[in-house]
Amino acid sequence: MVLTEKQKELIEQFGVLNEKYGLPPAECRVWGLFLVADKVELTFDEIMETLHLSKGGTSNALNRLMMTHHIEYITKLGDKKRYFRCKMNNWTQMTKENFEKFDDLNVILKEILKARTTKTPQFNNDLKEVTEFLDFVYKELMIAIKKWENRK
Amino acid sequence: MVLTEKQKELIEQFGVLNEKYGLPPAECRVWGLFLVADKVELTFDEIMETLHLSKGGTSNALNRLMMTHHIEYITKLGDKKRYFRCKMNNWTQMTKENFEKFDDLNVILKEILKARTTKTPQFNNDLKEVTEFLDFVYKELMIAIKKWENRK
DNA sequence: TTTTGAGTTCAGCAAATTATGAACCAACTT
DNA sequence: AAGTTGGTTCATAATTTGCTGAACTCAAAA
């Protein structure tokens, strides 16, 4: 598969952004490839060749993307190959999970608050407000997502 | 400064969680120290000694935390030292910035959508829905934050 | 003007993370 | 049964990241 310069550029941009969130470069590029490619179904070899990845690297990236539900594969009768494709119906779930991690922080902050000295009332009060804010935003977010899911 | 076991434990928990988001361990611990410490103002040396960090590591961590507005410092007349402290009024801003990064992803997705072949209408439509969803959640979030800021 | 104190910078090292590629496996073909 | 195909595993190599500590800067004090 041959990519245009624009496509390559977009893969890299998408990659850099996701690397900031801790994804390995190869995995980002594979994911990006699915988003920019002119076809929806890609085979192992196509991905490997197009991105100049090693077999192991390709295998690893695909498996990680499957574990995180960003892609899936289908098979075809009388064909041993797998056809990988991007799951697009997964983003609300993904976003939710993202915000749940964000809620984990709040759990720890509340624990910290409980354990704090009483000698810093101003600080403790500020921290309490933070936890209340995080509670509030989290709730509003879940409402928003639900609203989206039930739209129309 | 001597920390209780509980305080140490909380610093580590807070650290591990933030490391997941790409912060370096030392920086996480410094931030955590501010949250659990029995005093609000900490000096360079206190931080360094309490966390067994090197000078360079301490300097680096403090500067990064200042750049990201998690801490600030004050000075005292006739005292060369800086007194660092955690900024607690910053969390709504912080949360906003966090979600702006999240919006950056959407910018790229929209670019990708523009550059895509017209031969995959189903995929393109799914991708468009994702960008609309992200737009929606982002807007709702900003509304929620505004609501919080104007409460009472 | 020298000394001291507070913090910065940076070369070099250690640890962790990723990618490679060859050996391997399992299923299908011939 | 031998060969082929599609993919996995894993030891090793390459790269990246984070930390240390010594040399340094800069400002204030002596």
Side-chain angles (χ1 to χ4, degrees), chain A residues 44 55 59 63 80-82:
Chain A
F44 190 98
K55 273 189 128 189
S59 174
N63 285 320
K80 221 162 67 159
K81 278 195 288 296
R82 293 173 186 172

Side-chain angles (χ1 to χ4, degrees), chain B residues 83-114:
Chain B
Y83 292 81
F84 296 92
R85 64 185 186 192
C86 204
K87 288 174 76 174
M88 290 311 253
N89 59 345
N90 178 48
W91 283 74
T92 66
Q93 189 53 37
M94 218 183 95
T95 305
K96 231 185 253 177
E97 276 164 25
N98 230 307
F99 292 130
E100 262 148 35
K101 281 186 226 150
F102 170 82
D103 199 46
D104 292 345
L105 172 67
N106 205 2
V107 171
I108 296 184
L109 290 182
K110 285 175 190 169
E111 263 220 69
I112 287 176
L113 188 57
K114 257 194 279 178

Side-chain angles (χ1 to χ4, degrees), chain A residues 16-49:
Chain A
V16 168
L17 206 151
N18 282 291
E19 280 171 44
K20 277 194 211 151
Y21 292 95
L23 289 196
E27 191 176 334
C28 294
R29 292 200 181 94
V30 172
W31 193 4
L33 178 60
F34 279 105
L35 293 176
V36 306
D38 289 349
K39 328 191 259 182
V40 170
E41 293 172 359
L42 307 180
T43 66
F44 190 98
D45 283 341
E46 270 175 333
I47 294 162
M48 189 176 130
E49 282 159 24

Side-chain angles (χ1 to χ4, degrees), chain B residues 1-149:
Chain B
M1 186 175 21
V2 177
L3 298 177
T4 64
E5 283 312 306
K6 183 68 183 170
Q7 284 174 316
K8 287 184 199 167
E9 193 191 306
L10 286 168
I11 289 176
E12 295 311 309
Q13 280 182 33
F14 182 79
V16 168
L17 206 153
N18 281 292
E19 281 171 46
K20 276 194 213 154
Y21 292 97
L23 289 196
E27 191 177 336
C28 295
R29 292 200 180 94
V30 172
W31 192 5
L33 178 60
F34 279 105
L35 294 176
V36 306
D38 288 349
K39 329 190 259 183
V40 170
E41 293 171 1
L42 306 180
T43 66
F44 190 98
D45 283 342
E46 272 177 333
I47 294 162
M48 191 175 127
E49 283 159 21
T50 310
L51 297 177
H52 306 106
L53 281 175
S54 66
K55 275 189 127 191
T58 307
S59 175
N60 183 47
L62 287 171
N63 285 319
R64 288 188 49 132
L65 288 169
M66 286 199 287
M67 283 193 300
T68 46
H69 310 293
H70 294 315
I71 65 169
E72 64 190 347
Y73 70 85
I74 58 164
T75 50
K76 301 188 179 186
L77 249 172
D79 187 343
K80 223 159 67 158
K81 278 197 288 295
R82 293 172 187 174
Y83 292 81
F84 296 92
R85 64 185 186 192
C86 204
K87 288 174 76 174
M88 290 311 253
N89 59 345
N90 178 48
W91 283 74
T92 66
Q93 189 53 37
M94 218 183 95
T95 305
K96 231 185 253 177
E97 276 164 25
N98 230 307
F99 292 130
E100 262 148 35
K101 281 186 226 150
F102 170 82
D103 199 46
D104 292 345
L105 172 67
N106 205 2
V107 171
I108 296 184
L109 290 182
K110 285 175 190 169
E111 263 220 69
I112 287 176
L113 188 57
K114 257 194 279 178
R116 278 196 65 80
T117 177
T118 55
K119 294 183 181 164
T120 58
Q122 172 71 58
F123 185 97
N124 297 16
N125 203 59
D126 290 350
L127 183 54
K128 189 163 168 245
E129 271 216 6
V130 170
T131 67
E132 284 166 0
F133 168 68
L134 293 178
D135 276 336
F136 174 76
V137 170
Y138 182 71
K139 256 187 235 154
E140 292 285 312
L141 249 170
M142 292 303 146
I143 292 169
I145 291 176
K146 203 157 273 168
K147 224 199 271 184
W148 175 264
E149 283 170 342

